[in-house]
Amino acid sequence: MSESMMRQATNISRNQLISVGTSFGKFTKSKKFKLHITALDYLAQYAVYKIWIKPNGEGSFLYGNHVLKAHLGRITDDTPQNKGVVIYSMSDVPLGFGVTAHSTVDTRKLQSTNIVAFNQADVGLYLREQDTLFAS
Amino acid sequence: MGRRAKRKQGEPEPLTFLPKSKSYKEDHTGKKRKLEREIDNKKVLELLNDDSTEFSENESANESANESENESENENENEIVSESESESETDSELDIEKKAHILDKEKKKEEELANAELQNNIEQMEKFVLPNTQDDENENENENEDNSDIQIIGRRIQDIVGVLNNFNKLGDKERGRSAYVEQLMKDMAVYYGYSDYLLEKLFHLFSVSEAVEFFEANEISRPVTIRTNTLRARRRDLAQALVNRGVNLEPIGKWTKVGLTVFDSSVPIGATPEYLAGHYILQTASSFLPVMALAPQENEKILDMASAPGGKTTYIAALMKNTGIIFANDSNKERTKGLVSNIYRLGVKNTIVCNYDGRQFPTVIGGFDRVLLDAPCSGTGVISKDPSIKINKLEKDFKLMPHLQKQLILSAIDSVDAKSSTGGYIVYSTCSVTVEENEEVVNYALLKRPNVKLVETDLDFGQDGFTKYRGKVFHPSLKLTKRYYPHVHNMDGFFVSKFKKFSNTFAENKENKDTEKVEKVKKGKIDENNKKNESSGKTNITKKSRPIEDELESLGLDGISEDNENESENLESDDDPSEEGSENELENLESDEEANEENCNLLF
């Protein structure tokens, strides 16, 4: 968010201000930071580890399910276990982000129904949780 | 087939729903078309004779029945000519003749029927004073063709329209045109299910046959359209991706580079990965128009006064390529949730969302380069989307809505900075077709704010706005506004007008100028303003407010003159108590508005 925008936003009183800039996430009660789907734009640009999923798995992922081996299209080499990854469709559209369940090497040995990455947030949230997503 | 080109067009067509000269011409194009046409006509005739057909079919059937009548006549001519000539025709020609014979017979039957019907119609018109039920019984006795009431009424609507289109020939002079119109409106209210009040309001916007087309178009839903989010995707890529998902689509038209019409889809169009990734948004074609008229430039400061659910806001952001600042306001907090969701989904980053009553601008913030006011309205342009409008909207709504709209448009105008190097524009639009909510509001704004003028909307289609309507005369520049109708443009009924604010002040008087500046540029406290205004303007009030009122009354702008009366009342009691910081927010609002209006009144 630019500074000028921030300054302009100060004209709006606290109660009436609904949204300005982009929310990255918020702190949980246990002081952990939970990323919001709205941060996806920025994460997608700078992601180190990426997963691409096949078209037949897109729907499943967008409904909030985890990424299965069967749907795995491509994965960045040498991704370690339990690392945050940004998940793309095969046409490089960022769909969400998650955490890997296994490292790249391990995923090769997995069965097709095993989970490769856990879903943390996906763009389906825009529809599913329209009302609660942006409430502070 | 050159002989075919001869055709009797002048023939009176008693049953004609509408004289569709265009389609006639198209039918002349070729023999093949003609053959198809004949076969179609046969089917149509079968349909016509079938009692169970619905009215909508009947309507088209009637049209084409008329066409086919003419055709059959031509064929009669053709036959005569071909018999007298040497018989060097091919087999196919003979086929046609055979078909023509068959058609002729059916045509004769049909004509007889039609004549009988016309007779009925006239009879029925003569028994005009009779209550509806009796009329219907009559019809049933005579026709034995229609079973249900609604069909009879549908037929009668057609008949009356036919008569009205050619009143000199077919009309019953004794009954007079108004009697026909009255009956027609009564029938249409029943047939299309409108309240009498609304029907009358809409009916008078159009010529008779156009009105029927309009109501008919309101029964059909408009095509689903989507807008490409140019922040995220290009239209060609998006179209490709959606076609791969089994969506059948095509560009909306030449006038937009981002719109696509969706014909049918094997997947839910509102839940594809492309949709969720923000590559497009579902948006009606008509709501592109105000944004195109607004023509936002990069790095501007723009206000969208009634923005939810964000279709137009995100379009503005896309046109600005995410630069500058957009204030997206909506008075309904619930609706802002969807707005925020859309803004994030489409990757819009330059927007501040706020939840004010639009009338609180410019006290919240002003000095915008452009303001888009897509005002809340009665929605008479989107009846196809929301049929409940037909009965829900009462006379009260058509008084309250324009009042709110007038307040909003003044706020919008005041929120704009005329000194902006790139902008100074206000776009006012509604999804309503009534004059009260459109031309009258714009006209009101022109009267109240002499520092704005109407400019071209830069939209190259649409019909010009009315400059006079049923005895009311508006400013001649109102023809620069644009109207859109469902039956003409196949999009929701819509109205777009664009203002240019050329000065932040609109008074010769220096004192007044100062107060205006205080109000518009600095946005000081209203109370202070009011005091200043009162002190500066008191002298002018008494002699100036009267003539204006009179003038307005002479223009027939009842609403406005009422306002003026209120104002002058307020002014007479020098200390308006509501201005002194009342606790209730609503009251505050009202007093704001009154104060605004007082201002103008003083400055006239």
Side-chain angles (χ1 to χ4, degrees):
Chain A
M1 183 169 71
S2 66
E3 194 182 337
S4 65
M5 229 171 112
M6 186 187 74
R7 288 188 191 284
Q8 292 281 353
T10 55
N11 285 309
I12 313 286
S13 70
R14 187 77 180 81
N15 280 333
Q16 266 75 34
L17 184 62
I18 307 288
S19 146
V20 56
T22 307
S23 155
F24 256 68
K26 59 182 173 187
F27 293 97
T28 62
K29 291 240 169 65
S30 54
K31 303 280 186 275
K32 280 178 185 152
F33 192 68
K34 190 170 183 290
L35 283 167
H36 270 173
I37 182 62
T38 44
L40 178 64
D41 268 0
Y42 298 95
L43 291 181
Q45 284 173 39
Y46 305 112
V48 179
Y49 301 115
K50 302 174 182 179
I51 284 179
W52 287 265
I53 52 177
K54 291 175 183 167
N56 55 1
E58 284 175 7
S60 163
F61 178 71
L62 292 177
Y63 284 118
N65 298 321
H66 303 306
V67 182
L68 302 181
K69 171 78 192 299
H71 296 150
L72 186 67
R74 256 190 321 158
I75 183 166
T76 316
D77 285 340
D78 63 84
T79 309
Q81 198 175 359
N82 297 331
K83 269 284 178 193
V85 284
V86 174
I87 292 155
Y88 298 80
S89 75
M90 287 309 274
S91 48
D92 271 338
V93 178
L95 297 176
F97 42 83
V99 173
T100 50
H102 304 276
S103 68
T104 307
V105 186
D106 291 340
T107 52
R108 298 235 162 82
K109 302 168 197 156
L110 290 173
Q111 289 183 340
S112 62
T113 51
N114 286 32
I115 292 168
V116 177
F118 300 109
N119 178 323
Q120 277 190 327
D122 63 78
V123 288
L125 286 171
Y126 282 123
L127 279 191
R128 292 204 302 276
E129 286 170 36
Q130 202 176 63
D131 292 345
T132 52
L133 191 56
F134 308 104
S136 49
Chain B
M1 299 300 291
R3 287 174 270 139
R4 281 262 159 95
K6 260 195 190 171
R7 175 164 286 213
K8 277 188 185 173
Q9 288 248 10
E11 193 48 36
E13 295 152 358
L15 250 183
T16 317
F17 185 57
L18 272 179
K20 291 223 163 177
S21 51
K22 233 185 201 171
S23 55
Y24 275 98
K25 273 171 203 162
E26 278 164 17
D27 288 335
H28 281 291
T29 44
K31 187 167 154 188
K32 237 184 183 177
R33 269 298 288 279
K34 183 104 191 184
L35 271 170
E36 286 168 10
R37 189 84 214 175
E38 278 167 12
I39 293 157
D40 279 350
N41 281 336
K42 265 190 185 173
K43 281 181 197 162
V44 156
L45 286 174
E46 281 164 22
L47 277 175
L48 247 185
N49 293 330
D50 189 355
D51 287 355
S52 62
T53 46
E54 285 200 27
F55 168 65
S56 57
E57 283 171 310
N58 273 347
E59 181 202 312
S60 61
N62 264 350
E63 274 177 36
S64 34
N66 273 316
E67 284 173 27
S68 53
E69 271 172 39
N70 275 3
E71 276 171 21
S72 67
E73 278 162 17
N74 285 337
E75 274 156 27
N76 277 337
E77 285 178 1
N78 288 340
E79 272 173 56
I80 296 160
V81 177
S82 60
E83 274 163 20
S84 63
E85 278 178 8
S86 63
E87 291 183 352
S88 61
E89 302 291 347
T90 55
D91 287 349
S92 65
E93 189 72 14
L94 288 171
D95 275 351
I96 289 175
E97 282 181 1
K98 275 177 204 165
K99 275 178 185 163
H101 279 302
I102 300 164
L103 271 175
D104 272 350
K105 279 176 195 166
E106 289 181 39
K107 248 7 89 61
K108 266 177 198 163
K109 262 190 217 163
E110 186 52 36
E111 266 176 70
E112 277 164 24
L113 262 176
N115 282 334
E117 243 174 74
L118 181 72
Q119 216 54 40
N120 280 341
N121 183 32
I122 290 167
E123 278 169 29
Q124 168 230 322
M125 296 307 289
E126 280 166 2
K127 290 169 197 159
F128 211 64
V129 279
L130 293 173
N132 252 347
T133 46
Q134 236 172 322
D135 267 359
D136 288 350
E137 278 166 20
N138 266 333
E139 293 248 313
N140 275 335
E141 281 170 17
N142 293 333
E143 277 186 33
N144 290 329
E145 202 181 6
D146 294 313
N147 294 325
S148 61
D149 289 353
I150 204 78
Q151 278 184 338
I152 295 166
I153 295 174
R155 187 64 59 83
R156 193 160 63 205
I157 290 172
Q158 282 183 329
D159 292 344
I160 299 179
V161 169
V163 171
L164 286 175
N165 276 338
N166 200 349
F167 192 73
N168 281 341
K169 253 186 190 170
L170 306 170
D172 179 358
K173 300 280 184 320
E174 282 171 26
R175 300 228 40 106
R177 196 181 168 89
S178 59
Y180 282 84
V181 171
E182 204 176 290
Q183 177 67 27
L184 178 60
M185 273 167 34
K186 215 187 274 172
D187 285 345
M188 279 166 83
V190 175
Y191 186 74
Y192 295 107
Y194 286 75
S195 68
D196 290 343
Y197 175 77
L198 183 60
L199 188 111
E200 189 185 343
K201 194 162 269 312
L202 296 174
F203 184 84
H204 288 298
L205 285 171
F206 307 105
S207 67
V208 177
S209 48
E210 215 186 342
V212 179
E213 271 188 49
F214 172 77
F215 289 115
E216 200 57 50
N218 277 341
E219 302 298 306
I220 310 160
S221 61
R222 305 272 84 78
V224 177
T225 53
I226 59 175
R227 179 178 59 79
T228 319
N229 180 21
T230 47
L231 295 172
R232 286 269 166 90
R234 286 184 302 169
R235 184 167 74 167
R236 201 198 306 155
D237 300 340
L238 174 68
Q240 193 58 49
L242 288 177
V243 166
N244 288 342
R245 290 192 190 278
V247 181
N248 188 0
L249 43 72
E250 143 175 314
I252 290 180
K254 274 182 187 165
W255 52 274
T256 174
K257 284 185 176 150
V258 292
L260 291 164
T261 307
V262 177
F263 295 113
D264 56 77
S265 167
S266 52
V267 290
I269 200 75
T272 64
E274 280 78 16
Y275 177 82
L276 293 169
H279 288 192
Y280 65 90
I281 183 170
L282 286 163
Q283 193 174 11
T284 56
S286 57
S287 54
F288 292 19
L289 300 169
V291 181
M292 289 166 68
L294 190 71
Q297 308 292 310
E298 287 174 38
N299 294 313
E300 282 187 328
K301 189 171 134 189
I302 289 180
L303 170 66
D304 187 352
M305 267 182 130
S307 54
K312 295 182 194 73
T313 310
T314 49
Y315 191 15
I316 294 172
L319 288 178
M320 291 165 75
K321 301 197 177 74
N322 248 338
T323 60
I325 297 175
I326 301 171
F327 280 79
N329 180 63
D330 201 277
S331 59
N332 186 335
K333 199 154 193 168
E334 283 302 305
R335 278 161 65 89
T336 56
K337 285 174 182 166
L339 168 65
V340 173
S341 173
N342 271 329
I343 284 173
Y344 278 127
R345 186 169 58 78
L346 296 177
V348 174
K349 304 219 163 29
N350 62 344
T351 303
I352 298 170
V353 183
C354 49
N355 170 226
Y356 280 103
D357 189 308
R359 291 169 291 189
Q360 281 171 286
F361 288 91
T363 46
V364 179
I365 184 168
F368 292 96
D369 293 312
R370 288 160 204 263
V371 174
L372 172 64
L373 172 57
D374 184 40
C377 64
S378 63
T380 48
V382 290
I383 291 173
S384 60
K385 222 187 282 172
D386 180 11
S388 66
I389 293 165
K390 287 177 186 176
I391 39 172
N392 279 349
K393 298 292 170 189
L394 306 171
E395 194 167 355
K396 195 180 71 182
D397 294 307
F398 287 95
K399 293 238 160 71
L400 288 178
M401 269 301 176
H403 184 67
L404 173 66
Q405 286 159 350
K406 283 168 186 171
Q407 291 176 329
L408 284 172
I409 199 171
L410 293 189
S411 310
I413 290 171
D414 293 342
S415 306
V416 170
D417 179 16
K419 292 201 177 67
S420 154
S421 56
T422 52
Y425 292 100
I426 302 104
V427 168
Y428 173 80
S429 65
T430 64
C431 57
S432 181
V433 293
T434 55
V435 172
E436 286 86 345
E437 294 174 84
N438 298 325
E439 277 87 350
E440 274 187 26
V441 174
V442 171
N443 197 50
Y444 172 85
L446 288 175
L447 284 171
K448 285 280 182 184
R449 294 285 184 272
N451 56 339
V452 293
K453 62 178 180 201
L454 279 171
V455 290
E456 283 287 349
T457 51
D458 297 328
L459 301 167
D460 49 6
F461 66 112
Q463 296 177 357
D464 292 345
F466 293 114
T467 49
K468 52 177 185 276
Y469 172 73
R470 310 205 83 201
K472 296 174 183 175
V473 181
F474 304 124
H475 195 272
S477 66
L478 266 151
K479 72 171 192 296
L480 295 175
T481 62
K482 291 279 186 225
R483 291 180 148 260
Y484 299 87
Y485 297 121
H487 59 287
V488 182
H489 307 99
N490 196 19
M491 52 172 76
D492 294 329
F494 217 75
F495 174 84
V496 181
S497 61
K498 186 178 186 181
F499 297 91
K500 165 91 175 133
K501 188 172 179 181
F502 49 83
S503 136
N504 278 336
T505 59
F506 51 85
E508 308 292 292
N509 190 325
K510 203 195 161 200
E511 275 180 322
N512 281 344
K513 240 180 200 173
D514 290 342
T515 54
E516 277 307 306
K517 266 183 190 163
V518 170
E519 192 200 322
K520 283 185 190 131
V521 184
K522 291 184 180 172
K523 278 91 204 171
K525 289 174 188 171
I526 304 167
D527 289 1
E528 282 176 23
N529 264 340
N530 286 339
K531 278 170 198 166
K532 281 185 189 173
N533 279 329
E534 272 171 25
S535 61
S536 66
K538 250 174 202 171
T539 47
N540 299 353
I541 304 162
T542 43
K543 57 180 178 185
K544 290 223 169 173
S545 63
R546 261 311 133 185
I548 289 166
E549 207 182 304
D550 293 344
E551 193 188 315
L552 291 175
E553 269 173 3
S554 69
L555 287 174
L557 298 169
D558 308 31
I560 294 170
S561 54
E562 271 169 32
D563 286 348
N564 271 335
E565 269 164 26
N566 288 338
E567 282 156 27
S568 45
E569 274 168 27
N570 283 335
L571 291 172
E572 273 159 27
S573 59
D574 270 358
D575 275 330
D576 195 342
S578 65
E579 279 166 22
E580 305 294 324
S582 57
E583 287 167 21
N584 193 331
E585 203 181 48
L586 249 176
E587 269 181 36
N588 258 335
L589 268 182
E590 279 168 11
S591 68
D592 282 3
E593 198 41 51
E594 276 163 17
N596 270 341
E597 284 174 1
E598 271 169 38
N599 269 344
C600 340
N601 210 3
L602 303 179
L603 297 168
F604 258 117

